[in-house]
């Protein structure tokens, strides 16, 4: 496929594979777990057994690699399975550096599963370059970024941190779930690995769980990860792959419109007297606005969080008054969601008590703003 095609075109083209025998335009779902072998021992189709590869996963993995400007795509059964696969590639006695406000399950998983097995895990304020420089060790093997971060929307400088990581021979990997490749392509800024929870914007309809890793280049790390993927078997089913590839077709139009809605909502909330603070990297008041503008080329995403005046009880009450924002965890679907983050993360969470996280959907923005107006009465 010509690589100079625009994102929207690539998204459609790369997920389209008309069936040779029937002519069906919509890609069929291949449920077969096993594939026929020839008498000479070869496999005409190239497929052997579904845990290793299957046609629906192949189509998805190739599309993911193309859209993230990488060389290799690997699909997993969830975002956490994708992260675990990468952490599994890190040798003992090496060090993993995480942002202090990383996705909560990533931190717990790293500390509980890897920290107890001889891998060093530490955290740093990833938006503070001086602190990052100090926190990188001689034995650092992986610097993990998540930008914008969850749930406080801090921005870390991918290009600068990737360079620092490379100096000690470490990999720089970016959890790119929130911006999606529509708005940010970390490999173009020097990252080696991009990770997604495809349960979010890629799927786009809150009805499929999935994850992926995209690698900048083929080679040893890609081969190791492919092997981990096949051996540990945390792979998505053909139907799940099919749902994510279908989501990819409309990814660009959804993310752009949801981003537009988020910017308008952020501006409205920033002026509201009952709001203490709005965390959205598209606002000029955001402390990392310039870095965000540099690496998020088409917009600032459809996620934001607000700190409402008053305590956690008051924040919870507001979620109850919102009619168009369903109170639920997760994000990236066509429907707007709101969540009191601290109470879901648990007592050790560093998230402020009065913070509400918002995933802005595709509803009309006037309706969404009016809903907040009445809820903040
Ligand atoms: C949801 C999410 C994950 C975890 O993905 P799952 O598909 O739920 O396993 C990781 N990182 C971020 C930023 C997420 O939003």
């Amino acid at each position: 496929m010509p690589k100079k095609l625009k994102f929207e075109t690539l998204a459609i083209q790369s997920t389209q594979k008309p069936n040779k025998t029937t002519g069906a335009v919509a890609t069929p779902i291949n449920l077969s777990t096993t594939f026929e072998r020839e008498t000479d021992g070869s496999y005409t189709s190239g497929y052997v057994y579904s845990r290793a590869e299957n046609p629906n996963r192949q189509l998805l993995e190739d599309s993911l690699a193309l859209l993230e400007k990488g060389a290799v795509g690997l699909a997993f059964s969830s975002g956490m399975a994708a992260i675990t696969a990468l952490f599994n590639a890190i040798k003992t006695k090496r060090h993993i550096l995480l942002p202090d406000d990383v996705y909560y399950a990533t931190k717990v998983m790293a500390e509980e599963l890897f920290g107890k097995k001889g891998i060093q895990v530490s955290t740093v304020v990833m938006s503070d370059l001086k602190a990052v420089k100090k926190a990188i060790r001689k034995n650092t093997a992986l610097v993990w970024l998540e930008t914008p971060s969850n749930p406080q929307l801090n921005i870390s400088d991918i290009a600068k941190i990737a360079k620092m990581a490379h100096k000690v021979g470490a990999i720089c990997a970016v959890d790119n779930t929130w911006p999606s490749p529509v708005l940010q392509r970390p490999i173009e800024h020097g990252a080696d690995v991009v990770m997604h929870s495809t349960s979010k914007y890629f799927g786009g309809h809150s009805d499929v769980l999935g994850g992926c890793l995209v690698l900048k280049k083929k080679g040893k790390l890609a081969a190791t990860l492919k092997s981990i993927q096949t051996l540990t078997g945390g792979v998505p089913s053909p139907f799940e792959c099919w749902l994510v590839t279908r989501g990819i077709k409309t990814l660009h139009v959804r993310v752009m419109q949801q981003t537009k809605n988020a910017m308008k909502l952020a501006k409205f909330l920033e002026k509201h007297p009952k709001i203490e603070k709005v965390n959205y990297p598209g606002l000029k008041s955001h402390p990392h606005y310039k870095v965000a503008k540099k690496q998020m080329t088409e917009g600032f995403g459809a996620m934001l969080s607000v700190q409402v005046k008053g305590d956690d009880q008051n924040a919870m009450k507001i979620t109850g008054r919102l009619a168009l924002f369903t109170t639920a965890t997760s994000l990236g679907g066509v429907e707007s969601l709101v969540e009191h983050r601290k109470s879901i993360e648990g007592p050790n969470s560093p998230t402020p008590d009065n913070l509400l996280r918002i995933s802005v959907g595709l509803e009309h923005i006037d309706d969404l703003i009016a809903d907040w107006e009445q809820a903040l009465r």
Side-chain angles (χ1 to χ4, degrees):
M1 198 164 310
K3 288 210 169 157
K4 66 174 192 301
L5 290 173
K6 303 267 194 249
F7 191 101
E8 297 90 320
T9 318
L10 281 176
I12 305 280
Q13 286 287 313
S14 66
T15 51
Q16 198 80 359
K17 199 171 188 183
N19 184 269
K20 286 273 177 350
T21 23
T22 62
V25 170
T27 311
I29 303 173
N30 289 282
L31 290 174
S32 189
T33 53
T34 187
F35 298 84
E36 196 178 19
R37 194 177 188 187
E38 307 302 324
T39 44
D40 67 0
S42 68
Y43 290 87
T44 316
S45 65
Y47 298 108
V48 178
Y49 183 60
S50 220
R51 174 154 46 75
E53 55 243 322
N54 71 61
N56 291 94
R57 205 164 91 218
Q58 192 69 56
L59 193 68
L60 171 61
E61 291 180 336
D62 291 348
S63 173
L64 291 165
L66 204 63
L67 297 177
E68 275 293 1
K69 307 288 176 196
V72 179
L74 295 168
F76 293 88
S77 53
S78 69
M80 290 314 298
I83 302 171
T84 308
L86 181 63
F87 287 12
N88 256 326
I90 305 301
K91 297 206 166 81
T92 47
K93 298 197 178 137
R94 302 294 300 270
H95 170 235
I96 297 176
L97 184 61
L98 302 173
D100 65 338
D101 57 349
V102 68
Y103 183 75
Y104 199 63
T106 305
K107 187 169 159 217
V108 175
M109 187 269 287
E111 287 169 352
E112 292 291 316
L113 299 186
F114 293 90
K116 288 179 184 163
K117 282 189 187 159
I119 289 177
Q120 301 165 22
V121 178
S122 72
T123 62
V124 69
V125 179
M126 208 52 91
S127 51
D128 179 348
L129 291 172
K130 275 188 199 146
V132 176
K133 199 172 172 191
K134 264 196 209 154
I136 292 178
R137 305 175 186 172
K138 270 196 209 120
N139 65 337
T140 300
L142 171 65
V143 179
W144 181 263
L145 307 186
E146 189 185 313
T147 179
S149 73
N150 174 29
Q152 302 206 49
L153 286 288
N154 288 312
I155 303 292
S156 36
D157 192 320
I158 302 169
K160 289 194 176 149
I161 296 171
K163 260 193 200 147
M164 289 187 210
H166 294 158
K167 264 194 190 149
V168 296
I171 302 160
C172 175
V174 181
D175 182 338
N176 204 34
T177 301
W178 281 28
S180 93
V182 172
L183 306 176
Q184 176 174 280
R185 289 169 298 279
I187 288 174
E188 292 181 339
H189 301 287
D192 307 285
V193 183
V194 175
M195 171 265 156
H196 281 282
S197 163
T198 52
S199 323
K200 315 296 167 56
Y201 290 100
F202 275 98
H205 297 75
S206 308
D207 54 9
V208 60
L209 210 60
C212 75
L213 295 174
V214 173
L215 287 103
K216 183 180 188 166
K217 49 180 201 247
K218 293 184 175 156
K220 205 168 154 221
L221 180 64
T224 303
L225 289 169
K226 172 73 204 167
S227 167
I228 291 171
Q229 181 200 37
T230 307
L231 293 174
T232 59
V235 291
S237 72
F239 181 49
E240 288 162 332
C241 292
W242 185 88
L243 280 172
V244 178
T245 38
R246 182 160 92 157
I248 287 175
K249 293 172 193 295
T250 55
L251 178 67
H252 192 279
V253 68
R254 282 186 283 109
V255 169
M256 290 308 281
Q257 185 58 37
Q258 285 175 253
T259 294
K260 247 192 221 171
N261 283 357
M263 179 66 113
K264 285 188 184 159
L265 183 62
K267 283 185 171 162
F268 165 79
L269 291 169
E270 194 181 32
K271 287 200 201 102
H272 201 285
K274 297 218 167 137
I275 298 287
E276 190 178 289
K277 192 178 172 208
V278 177
N279 303 306
Y280 185 65
L283 294 175
K284 297 220 169 83
S285 59
H286 190 285
H288 317 133
Y289 171 76
K290 276 196 185 144
V291 183
K293 198 159 169 61
K294 181 180 77 167
Q295 61 195 25
M296 302 181 81
T297 45
E298 328 288 326
F300 301 93
M303 291 300 296
L304 62 139
S305 61
V306 289
Q307 284 161 248
V308 295
K309 285 188 182 153
D311 59 7
D312 55 341
Q313 289 307 310
N314 181 51
M316 292 284 234
K317 243 183 235 160
I318 291 166
T319 65
R321 283 194 211 125
L322 285 163
L324 301 177
F325 289 74
T326 304
T327 304
T329 195
S330 199
L331 58 117
V334 294
E335 66 289 322
S336 291
L337 301 179
V338 66
E339 178 183 35
H340 182 254
R341 200 61 202 162
K342 174 118 183 179
S343 49
I344 207 127
E345 289 179 347
N348 296 328
S349 141
T351 301
D353 285 345
N354 62 345
L355 182 140
L356 296 177
R357 189 182 82 175
I358 307 165
S359 173
V360 184
L362 275 177
E363 303 88 346
H364 198 288
I365 186 57
D366 294 351
D367 294 333
L368 297 181
I369 287 176
D371 198 24
W372 273 93
E373 204 156 23
Q374 64 79 20
L376 290 170
R377 66 185 179 262

